């Protein structure tokens, strides 16, 4: 029964989030929210055939949510089993004949089990396995070899390197997170490993700081400090300093990165590194629904190069990707091409062929585990529904803004939802946020915005831009002529403007 509940959490709409009501909402609260959304999405308010069709779909979805939650028996079953529990097929009829009180009692027990599972899921385990295969002999053999060497018809192929890494995150408090990671590597018979522990604290709505301790058999103990800071809504920077202790002495290093959103899908980076491998690097990364492009130039000691890569993403169930890159520098030239596809719910398999001068030819096989991937979520469908909802909200938002401006009330200037901070090695993911300014303004009533304690991806006009990742909502708004900024977690309740002392937003 608990397993059924967990599966429904992944593949069902959250009716409470859709109506923006508490799970304990009264009939009056449900009715008020339902009437407001009906006025927004009623098909008769739109003459354009496309808008009318989109409004009808959303209107039916809201009506379905209200019908379920307004009926005590259906609501009690939905709280435990989700939408599937409301269908006769596949479930025992006796379960549906339980009284609401009996179902509620069982729901409380399942709720405790669900919280335990959520705590385990929040550790966010991630891992990669990479294998390097030396295939030079496939391309660098001459006819003389076949004549002089007995049994030489089969080329010699060997696995010359392997890398395994794993990391977990453990939230300690609402602002503190511990990150434990480790890796093992081997190359041409020589290998080593390392382990590190990082403690991250969110210091404000604009940034966080991190302390890292590490140890390994190849580089020795490590102590590092890292800082992230939003400079403007479109620009941020990171700074990192580290002390590496080895048999050759202490090796200090400093790295700074300045990044800017050039547009919704494009990021620009400037990086400066000082230490054992000093360098200056500039890159442009463009990531869209169907492609990923990177261009980078680096000047440094000992690595100076120019690199360009392109990746095409097929819109299929296996999330297939093909990619190619060219990298040229003082070390020579390397051309890589390969493909990647999802082979199971939690795993991705990729293979890359590398042809280099003078490096030779090699094959890399990589398996990436996605422990928190929600395979049942249909992101494309949710995105289309959200875009349709935003189109239908335009006229209502215009009237709401006019009313709020007349009383110097609450105006949502800018709002973003998604993942704002990620690992520095995966920079393009920093842009995995969506603009939710219009949907939030549409929820403003009497100069107040109230969001319940539920995932915000279920709100009208929202969708999940980074399934399985920690998300937050960042809002820049104006109230009584003063600008404020507030950041809330995905499942945190939000009320703006804040009224309690000690709960004030950041004033800009």
């Amino acid at each position: 029964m608990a397993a059924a509940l967990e599966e429904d959490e992944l593949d069902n709409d959250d009716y409470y989030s859709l109506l923006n009501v508490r799970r304990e909402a009264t009939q009056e609260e449900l009715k008020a929210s339902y009437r407001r959304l009906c006025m927004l999405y009623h098909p008769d308010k739109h003459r354009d055939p496309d808008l009318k069709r989109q409004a009808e779909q959303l209107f039916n979805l809201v009506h379905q949510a209200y019908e379920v939650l307004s009926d005590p028996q259906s609501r009690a079953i939905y709280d435990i089993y989700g939408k599937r529990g409301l269908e006769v097929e596949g479930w025992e009829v006796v379960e549906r004949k339980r009284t609401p009180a009996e179902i509620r009692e069982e729901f409380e027990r399942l709720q405790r089990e669900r919280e335990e599972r959520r705590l385990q899921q929040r550790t966010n385990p991630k891992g990669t396995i990479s294998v390097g295969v030396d295939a030079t002999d496939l391309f660098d053999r001459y006819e003389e070899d076949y004549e002089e060497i007995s049994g030489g018809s089969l080329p010699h192929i060997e696995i010359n390197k392997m890398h395994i890494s794993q990391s977990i995150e453990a939230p300690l408090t609402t602002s503190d997170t511990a990150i434990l990671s480790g890796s093992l590597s081997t190359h041409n018979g020589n290998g080593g490993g390392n382990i590190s522990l990082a403690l991250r604290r969110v210091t404000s709505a604009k940034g966080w700081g991190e302390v890292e301790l590490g140890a390994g058999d190849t580089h020795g103990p490590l102590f590092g400090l890292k800082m992230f800071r939003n400079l403007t809504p479109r620009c941020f920077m990171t700074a990192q300093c580290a002390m590496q202790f080895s048999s050759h002495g202490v090796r200090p290093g400093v790295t700074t990165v300045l990044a800017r959103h050039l547009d919704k899908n494009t990021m620009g980076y400037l990086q400066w590194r000082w230490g054992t491998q000093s360098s200056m690097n500039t890159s442009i990364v463009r990531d869209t629904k169907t492609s990923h492009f990177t261009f980078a130039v680096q000047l440094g000691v000992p690595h100076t190069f120019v690199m360009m890569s392109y990746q095409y993403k097929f819109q299929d169930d296996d999330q297939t990707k093909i990619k190619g890159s060219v990298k040229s520098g003082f070390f020579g030239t390397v051309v890589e091409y390969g493909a990647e596809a999802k082979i199971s719910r939690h795993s991705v398999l990729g293979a890359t062929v590398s042809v280099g001068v003078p490096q030779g030819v090699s094959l890399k096989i990589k398996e990436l585990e996605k422990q928190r991937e929600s395979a049942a979520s249909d992101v494309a469908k949710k995105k289309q529904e959200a875009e349709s909802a935003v189109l239908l909200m335009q006229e209502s938002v215009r009237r709401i803004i006019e009313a709020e401006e007349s009383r110097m009330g609450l105006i949502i200037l800018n709002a973003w939802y998604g993942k704002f901070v990620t690992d520095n090695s995966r920079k393009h993911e920093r842009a995995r946020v969506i603009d939710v300014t219009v949907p939030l303004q549409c929820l403003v009533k009497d100069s107040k915005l109230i969001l319940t304690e539920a995932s915000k991806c279920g709100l009208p006009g929202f969708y999940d831009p980074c399934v399985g990742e920690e998300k937050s909502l960042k809002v820049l708004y104006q109230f009584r002529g003063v600008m404020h900024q507030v950041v809330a977690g995905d499942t945190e309740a939000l009320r703006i403007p804040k009224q309690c002392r000690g709960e004030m937003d950041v004033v800009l």
Side-chain angles (χ1 to χ4, degrees):
M1 190 178 299
L5 172 63
E6 184 176 5
E7 186 175 351
D8 281 323
E9 283 180 342
L10 295 176
D11 59 7
N12 285 311
D13 299 310
D14 186 344
Y15 288 158
Y16 292 99
S17 183
L18 178 64
L19 298 179
N20 191 29
V21 295
R22 302 172 297 119
R23 297 194 73 89
E24 305 81 13
T26 63
Q27 290 292 334
E28 290 73 19
E29 291 173 329
L30 287 169
K31 187 176 295 185
S33 179
Y34 172 65
R35 286 178 175 175
R36 186 179 184 192
L37 290 174
C38 284
M39 292 176 62
L40 179 64
Y41 294 139
H42 203 288
D44 294 344
K45 295 182 62 176
H46 305 278
R47 296 182 179 180
D48 183 90
D50 290 336
L51 289 179
K52 191 179 186 70
R53 175 179 53 81
Q54 294 168 358
E56 186 175 6
Q57 293 175 353
L58 292 169
F59 181 83
N60 290 337
L61 186 60
V62 170
H63 180 70
Q64 182 184 25
Y66 177 71
E67 274 195 332
V68 170
L69 299 185
S70 60
D71 178 67
Q73 178 81 0
S74 298
R75 181 176 179 177
I77 295 173
Y78 172 79
D79 284 345
I80 300 177
Y81 303 113
K83 288 170 63 178
R84 186 176 302 178
L86 302 171
E87 302 171 0
V88 177
E89 291 184 4
W91 294 90
E92 296 295 332
V93 178
V94 66
E95 301 291 351
R96 293 178 55 83
K97 290 184 176 179
R98 290 184 178 181
T99 64
E102 292 173 332
I103 294 177
R104 296 278 182 193
E105 182 179 352
E106 187 172 0
F107 173 70
E108 291 177 0
R109 179 180 63 82
L110 293 175
Q111 184 79 351
R112 291 192 294 269
E113 295 179 0
R114 188 195 313 185
E115 292 301 323
E116 293 176 359
R117 288 196 302 273
R118 284 179 176 174
L119 183 60
Q120 294 176 352
Q121 292 173 348
R122 289 185 67 187
T123 57
N124 193 20
K126 295 180 181 178
T128 61
I129 301 175
S130 178
V131 179
V133 180
D134 188 348
T136 306
D137 203 35
L138 284 173
F139 303 88
D140 192 25
R141 308 188 74 204
Y142 298 91
E143 294 298 329
E144 292 80 4
D145 294 336
Y146 292 92
E147 296 175 359
E148 298 176 3
I149 302 176
S150 176
S153 59
L154 294 177
H156 177 67
I157 300 176
E158 65 174 335
I159 297 176
N160 60 1
K161 59 182 176 181
M162 180 178 290
H163 178 79
I164 302 174
S165 64
Q166 184 75 30
S167 68
I168 59 173
E169 298 178 5
L172 305 178
T173 66
T174 55
S175 59
D176 297 322
T177 303
I179 305 168
L180 180 65
S181 59
S183 65
L184 292 172
S185 300
T186 177
H187 187 198
N188 292 330
N190 298 316
N194 63 76
I195 187 170
S196 66
L197 173 64
L199 298 176
R200 178 180 298 174
R201 164 164 286 191
V202 177
T203 55
S204 68
K206 292 187 176 182
W208 50 261
E210 184 176 286
V211 177
E212 180 182 8
L213 299 174
D217 56 1
T218 55
H219 300 293
L222 169 74
F223 174 75
L225 298 174
K226 191 174 182 180
M227 181 196 73
F228 171 87
R229 180 77 174 178
N230 276 314
L231 304 179
T232 69
R234 298 173 62 89
C235 184
F236 64 85
M237 71 165 290
T238 63
Q240 181 177 7
C241 61
M243 302 289 286
Q244 187 83 57
F245 300 90
S246 67
S247 58
H248 302 287
V250 180
R251 296 181 177 180
V254 177
T255 302
T256 60
V257 178
L258 180 65
R260 178 177 173 81
H261 292 271
L262 303 180
D263 60 38
K264 183 174 64 174
N265 299 311
T266 309
M267 293 288 295
Y269 299 91
L270 290 174
Q271 182 185 74
W272 174 76
R273 177 181 296 167
W274 174 83
T276 54
Q277 295 185 354
S278 300
S279 65
M280 293 187 65
N281 180 293
T282 181
S283 60
I284 295 177
V285 179
R286 179 169 178 81
D287 189 63
T288 67
K289 181 180 179 181
T290 59
S291 65
H292 180 80
F293 173 79
T294 302
F295 177 78
V297 177
Q298 177 171 304
L299 300 175
V301 179
H303 300 299
T304 295
F305 62 84
V306 176
M307 187 272 290
M308 181 172 63
S309 69
Y310 179 81
Q311 181 182 90
Y312 182 79
K313 310 171 188 176
F314 291 92
Q315 304 303 302
D316 56 5
D317 294 338
D318 294 334
Q319 301 176 9
T320 307
K321 302 174 184 177
I322 58 173
K323 55 186 177 181
S325 67
V326 178
K327 189 175 182 180
S328 182
F330 291 163
F331 55 84
T333 300
V334 177
V335 178
E336 291 187 347
Y337 59 92
E340 183 179 289
K342 185 175 68 174
I343 58 176
S344 71
R345 181 177 177 181
H346 299 302
S347 300
V348 173
L349 181 65
T352 303
V353 175
S354 176
V355 182
V357 178
Q359 291 87 349
V361 182
S362 63
L363 171 66
K364 300 176 183 177
I365 301 174
K366 180 180 70 173
E367 182 178 4
L368 172 63
E369 297 180 65
K370 295 184 176 180
Q371 299 288 352
R372 299 189 63 193
E373 177 183 345
S374 176
S377 297
D378 188 352
V379 179
K381 178 182 177 182
K382 295 296 183 183
K383 181 178 180 180
Q384 183 179 7
E385 289 179 356
E387 291 173 347
S388 299
V390 171
L391 286 175
L392 299 173
M393 292 175 182
Q394 297 295 336
E395 183 62 26
S396 297
V397 165
R398 184 185 63 80
R399 293 195 299 268
I400 292 172
I401 291 178
E402 289 178 354
E404 293 296 323
E405 285 179 341
S406 66
R407 64 168 74 104
M408 293 188 67
L410 178 58
I411 306 295
I412 307 297
L413 302 176
N414 209 331
W416 298 89
Y417 172 69
K419 185 172 183 179
F420 293 90
V421 180
T422 63
D423 190 295
N424 192 47
S425 64
R426 304 173 69 181
K427 300 173 183 177
H428 67 278
E429 292 190 2
R430 294 185 187 276
R432 295 173 67 184
V433 296
I434 58 173
D435 188 339
V436 292
T437 307
V438 171
L440 280 191
Q441 185 68 67
C442 199
L443 293 174
V444 172
K445 183 179 181 181
D446 298 330
S447 299
K448 296 177 184 177
L449 173 64
I450 301 175
L451 302 182
T452 61
E453 196 176 70
S455 177
K456 296 168 181 57
C457 64
L459 291 170
F462 282 61
Y463 70 93
D464 195 339
C466 44
V467 177
E469 301 286 351
E470 292 288 337
K471 292 170 284 292
S472 56
L473 174 67
K474 181 184 291 186
V475 184
L476 178 67
Y477 68 92
Q478 180 176 300
F479 181 69
R480 294 180 181 174
V482 180
M483 291 176 60
H484 302 261
Q485 180 174 282
V486 63
V487 177
D490 186 30
T491 58
E492 291 180 14
L494 177 65
R495 179 188 177 97
I496 55 176
K498 299 265 181 93
Q499 297 176 342
C500 300
R501 209 177 270 180
E503 278 193 323
M504 298 300 293
D505 304 329
V506 178
V507 181
L508 304 180

